[in-house]
Amino acid sequence: MKYALITGGSRGIGKAIALRLAKQDYHVLINYQSNQQAAEETLNLIREQGGQATLMQFDVSDSEQTLTAINKWQEENKDAYIDLLVNNAGIRRDNLLVFMEQKDFQDVIRTNLFSFYNVTQPLLQPMIRHKHGRIINVASLSGIKGLPGQCNYSAAKGGLIAATKALAQEVGRKNITVNAVAPGFVKTDMVEGLDEQELKKQIPLQRFAQADEVAALVAFLASDEAAYITGECISINGGLYT
Ligand SMILES: NC(=O)c1ccc[n+]([C@@H]2O[C@H](COP(=O)([O-])OP(=O)(O)OC[C@H]3O[C@@H](n4cnc5c(N)ncnc54)[C@H](OP(=O)(O)O)[C@@H]3O)[C@@H](O)[C@H]2O)c1
């Protein structure tokens, strides 16, 4: 049995990734922070579809909580290891920098970037020992081109893309691949409040993505077919570059 940990796997893009990977015979570890009801719904959905999943509640921005949860899982599953990690949990706290509170800058960097360290670091040794691993980071178009009102989020996602490229070079020889995906607008709770009708006019494909379209790309990067792709950041944005 192969294990996949999906941070923020309870809602939105992470949920779509969890559902797909569970169909591909992974035992899915669904991390979430606080919305237990959503997490249980995702867990039940996977089980109804014949898949295997376990909930793992921890705050990815908190290194101690994260390490405790991962160590507890490893203790309870001594012969297993997490072969696939999807760093997906994220938040946004948009504002023009001139009005942005320091806390909103820090919270976004902690949740979207420090989490990469908190979750990935303790999972590397087992992947190295097993000479196999896949790490996929969910970045954003914002981290490639920068978006106004998102200095915090753009900085975090840009950092995540750079970390993806650096780590890929560190662990390639251990048969571990590290890639990122960079979605544009995806229909999830995160984009609630945005003017979809107006924004989609700027997108060549004239619509927001479905979460499952991003999940399909993540599932491909996790597959054996993608074994020679590493250090890449793949855009999935309907053509929205400028
Ligand atoms: N939606 C878009 O248009 C879009 C575009 C580009 C990139 N992205 C990126 O895609 C990823 C997923 O976004 P989404 O749209 O699916 O978001 P979402 O619908 O708001 O779901 C966020 C998920 O992350 C979890 N989460 C948030 N903070 C957490 C923390 N500190 N610790 C653990 N879990 C935490 C949430 O758990 P709880 O329910 O417990 O809070 C939830 O499962 C994010 O990294 C986001 O930046 C999204």
Side-chain angles (χ1 to χ4, degrees):
M1 173 59 66
K2 292 210 286 187
Y3 289 86
L5 170 59
I6 300 143
T7 68
S10 58
R11 290 191 290 117
I13 295 170
K15 175 181 183 175
I17 295 170
L19 286 164
R20 263 196 184 253
L21 294 176
K23 283 188 189 148
Q24 293 178 6
D25 291 338
Y26 279 97
H27 183 124
V28 175
L29 306 174
I30 303 167
N31 158 256
Y32 67 104
Q33 183 182 21
S34 55
N35 188 338
Q36 176 138 2
Q37 193 188 335
E40 278 170 6
E41 275 169 28
T42 303
L43 177 73
N44 292 336
L45 203 54
I46 288 175
R47 289 183 176 162
E48 278 162 23
Q49 293 177 358
Q52 296 189 49
T54 307
L55 294 184
M56 273 177 93
Q57 190 276 328
F58 58 88
D59 176 352
V60 293
S61 72
D62 182 322
S63 57
E64 266 184 45
Q65 253 190 53
T66 303
L67 194 58
T68 303
I70 289 173
N71 285 345
K72 181 169 178 279
W73 180 85
Q74 195 65 74
E75 194 59 31
E76 290 167 359
N77 296 273
K78 283 206 165 58
D79 298 330
Y81 85 108
I82 294 169
D83 178 62
L84 167 60
L85 165 63
V86 185
N87 283 308
N88 164 78
I91 56 165
R92 66 181 183 94
R93 298 276 182 274
D94 298 355
N95 210 340
L96 297 175
L97 192 70
V98 68
F99 302 122
M100 191 180 285
E101 303 283 340
Q102 191 189 44
K103 186 176 184 331
D104 285 341
F105 198 89
Q106 285 177 340
D107 285 353
V108 166
I109 300 280
R110 279 204 189 99
T111 304
N112 296 297
L113 183 57
F114 283 14
S115 59
F116 164 79
Y117 175 87
N118 296 341
V119 187
T120 309
Q121 203 280 340
L123 298 183
L124 279 177
Q125 278 295 351
M127 286 184 186
I128 290 169
R129 265 201 307 281
H130 288 85
K131 295 193 172 55
H132 193 271
R134 289 273 194 278
I135 299 167
I136 301 162
N137 299 319
V138 181
S140 168
L141 174 65
S142 189
I144 296 176
K145 72 182 286 270
L147 290 176
Q150 293 198 321
C151 277
N152 48 0
Y153 187 82
S154 299
K157 295 299 192 183
L160 187 60
I161 293 168
T164 301
K165 294 176 181 177
L167 182 60
Q169 294 171 66
E170 292 182 15
V171 296
R173 73 186 66 177
K174 301 295 181 187
N175 197 27
I176 300 167
T177 66
V178 190
N179 291 290
V181 299
F185 293 106
V186 187
K187 275 178 94 75
T188 69
D189 296 344
M190 187 178 266
V191 298
E192 252 174 38
L194 297 186
D195 188 346
E196 183 176 346
Q197 292 312 314
E198 201 47 44
L199 285 167
K200 73 181 186 186
K201 289 182 195 157
Q202 302 166 20
I203 304 170
L205 287 180
Q206 298 277 291
R207 64 176 179 86
F208 282 14
Q210 297 295 330
D212 190 52
E213 294 178 300
V214 180
L217 175 58
V218 171
F220 169 67
L221 288 172
S223 73
D224 289 343
E225 281 85 352
Y228 203 58
I229 302 174
T230 196
E232 281 300 320
C233 175
I234 302 182
S235 289
I236 173 161
N237 58 27
L240 181 68
Y241 283 101
T242 52

